[in-house]
Amino acid sequence: MKTLKEWFTSSQTLLSMLLVQVLLTGMQLLSRVILVQGTFIGALIVYRHLVAAICVAPFALYFERGHPKKLNCKVWFWLFVNALTGMAMAQGLFYYGLRDTSATYSMSFLNLVPITTFFTSIILRMEKLKWQTWVGKAKSVGSIMCVGGALVSSVYKGREFYLDHHNHHTHQTAPHKTHMLHGTIFLICSCFSYTTWFIAQVKLLKVFPFKYWGTMLACILAAIQAAVIGVCLDSSKAAWRLEWNLQLITILYSGALATAATFCILSWAITIQGPSYPPMFNPLSLIFVAFSEAVILGEPLTFGMLVGMVLIIMGLYSFLWSKKNDTQKLSQPNVAAAEGSTMMADGLTATQSTSTVVPSASPTTDSVILEIEKTENN
């Protein structure tokens, strides 16, 4: 019992990251089911963020009480931009892509978010490629592998594998049919929307460094934005009606567990292990979703999808390794100046780097933001 307790104590961060991936996997599967059944995406986004704001509010009122918060026009502007790009648009586009493709296919594109952010940072001259160094080469090779994996999984299908031979015989016809081309376009747009959010989030952190308050206010703004857009798309009462069914369970699960609880766990893990630790577990959600979707929903696994998953996971780890080493090199000159104050500043930056919450697996959210911040400072 003592050995088991010691192991549990030493493995708390590892177990917490596995729990995060399990929670995100459940959210992907539930969202896929209700979207295929015809749930209105605008209503899903609105209700989900209202639940998330309610769940985060106690943390904001308790942990960040007593600190003066200046909500001027500049702060509201960046809160509005963050809510629009990272929640209303990014999640809405992702849900449309999820509805038109599959949970596994959509998760593959979520792992491309750090790659699109990397390329955008180079175009905006926020980051240098550094091709002459090993770190730069690993970063470039990892990016190419991720993009190649996405292309393979979307273009090449190959042989289909059913993990449960009963499911594909009894699979019921869903109200909404899959449309891979439309879904892929939505997912690509979602990736670039997340990229815009990562860059805009850095601006928000500089003018409003309160992660819980920033999350709560951004969730409220995202709900308002999604409500305005949703009413323009469908104003019927049937689209916005809530009933005691799987849709309500998904909304509560997404807001309370996959958003608020996941955010708190990630913030805690980042303060202990650093910002590069949580993203290393994101590819696990891709594997969990793929096999869970095949077993529970009866979706087939194609050979092209498996090859693409392997390429994306290998490329993502290569990219994260290079980002970690590059960040360490950038921070080395500051260590000798004031080691204690630097550790406190790094812990604060790591905690603040998740000031708003991503709906699902968000690869390298923290490492990308830290990298952009340090490049701007240099």
Side-chain angles (χ1 to χ4, degrees):
M1 291 296 294
K2 184 178 180 181
T3 305
L4 181 62
K5 185 177 180 180
E6 292 175 352
W7 175 85
F8 181 79
T9 303
S10 60
S11 306
Q12 283 183 348
T13 52
L14 172 64
L15 295 175
S16 66
M17 292 300 97
L18 294 178
L19 176 61
V20 167
Q21 302 308 318
V22 171
L23 292 176
L24 296 177
T25 299
M27 190 204 66
Q28 292 291 339
L29 296 178
L30 289 172
S31 300
R32 166 67 178 167
V33 171
I34 66 170
L35 290 175
V36 170
Q37 291 177 351
T39 296
F40 181 46
I41 293 176
L44 176 60
I45 296 176
V46 171
Y47 296 140
R48 169 183 174 170
H49 284 103
L50 289 178
V51 173
I54 294 173
C55 293
V56 176
F59 296 95
L61 297 174
Y62 180 78
F63 290 108
E64 294 175 344
R65 67 186 187 278
H67 299 284
K69 303 169 185 67
K70 298 180 180 180
L71 294 171
N72 51 35
C73 294
K74 191 174 184 180
V75 172
W76 280 114
F77 171 77
W78 286 115
L79 282 171
F80 181 88
V81 171
N82 274 262
L84 181 64
T85 58
M87 295 183 178
M89 285 183 57
Q91 293 185 24
L93 292 168
F94 177 79
Y95 278 139
Y96 276 107
L98 176 63
R99 183 194 64 181
D100 289 340
T101 57
S102 67
T104 305
Y105 188 78
S106 302
M107 287 297 298
S108 300
F109 275 83
L110 273 182
N111 284 290
L112 293 179
V113 173
I115 310 302
T116 58
T117 307
F118 171 62
F119 286 135
T120 305
S121 300
I122 292 177
I123 294 173
L124 298 178
R125 296 185 178 181
M126 289 181 169
E127 187 169 340
K128 295 181 180 180
L129 186 59
K130 300 179 182 178
W131 176 254
Q132 68 276 10
T133 64
W134 280 106
V135 172
K137 291 178 180 178
K139 195 181 298 183
S140 302
V141 171
S143 303
I144 294 172
M145 290 179 67
C146 284
V147 174
L151 290 175
V152 169
S153 61
S154 60
V155 175
Y156 176 67
K157 299 301 179 185
R159 184 181 175 184
E160 293 185 348
F161 302 92
Y162 287 92
L163 298 185
D164 188 349
H165 66 280
H166 296 290
N167 280 344
H168 66 280
H169 291 298
T170 60
H171 190 66
Q172 298 178 354
T173 303
H176 187 87
K177 300 292 184 180
T178 59
H179 199 298
M180 297 302 293
L181 178 59
H182 290 173
T184 301
I185 295 174
F186 283 129
L187 291 172
I188 292 174
C189 293
S190 177
C191 287
F192 282 102
S193 183
Y194 275 126
T195 297
T196 306
W197 173 62
F198 286 139
I199 297 173
Q201 195 180 28
V202 177
K203 305 295 183 180
L204 174 63
L205 292 173
K206 292 180 179 180
V207 297
F208 193 73
F210 300 99
K211 59 181 185 297
Y212 293 110
W213 270 92
T215 299
M216 182 183 67
L217 295 176
C219 286
I220 295 174
L221 289 175
I224 297 173
Q225 293 166 352
V228 173
I229 298 173
V231 169
C232 295
L233 296 176
D234 191 347
S235 59
S236 63
K237 292 182 179 181
W240 297 87
R241 184 183 298 117
L242 280 178
E243 298 178 356
W244 293 97
N245 52 18
L246 188 61
Q247 177 185 355
L248 181 59
I249 295 175
T250 304
I251 291 172
L252 295 176
Y253 182 97
S254 300
L257 295 180
T259 301
T262 297
F263 166 70
C264 295
I265 295 174
L266 287 174
S267 299
W268 170 75
I270 289 168
T271 57
I272 297 177
Q273 296 289 348
S276 61
Y277 186 75
M280 300 301 291
F281 293 84
N282 285 324
L284 289 179
S285 60
L286 176 60
I287 299 174
F288 291 166
V289 168
F291 287 96
S292 298
E293 190 178 35
V295 173
I296 299 174
L297 303 182
E299 295 287 342
L301 286 174
T302 64
F303 181 75
M305 188 179 294
L306 293 176
V307 174
M309 285 170 54
V310 172
L311 288 175
I312 289 174
I313 291 173
M314 293 176 61
L316 182 61
Y317 275 119
S318 175
F319 181 84
L320 291 176
W321 175 85
S322 61
K323 294 287 281 187
K324 180 180 180 180
N325 283 270
D326 205 10
T327 304
Q328 288 176 348
K329 289 182 179 179
L330 286 172
S331 61
Q332 279 178 358
N334 300 326
V335 175
E339 184 176 357
S341 61
T342 302
M343 290 176 64
M344 293 176 63
D346 287 343
L348 179 61
T349 306
T351 305
Q352 292 175 350
S353 62
T354 53
S355 64
T356 48
V357 183
V358 186
S360 53
S362 176
T364 62
T365 302
D366 315 288
S367 57
V368 169
I369 293 174
L370 283 176
E371 183 69 17
I372 293 174
E373 278 187 321
K374 291 185 177 181
T375 306
E376 283 185 342
N377 292 336
N378 288 345

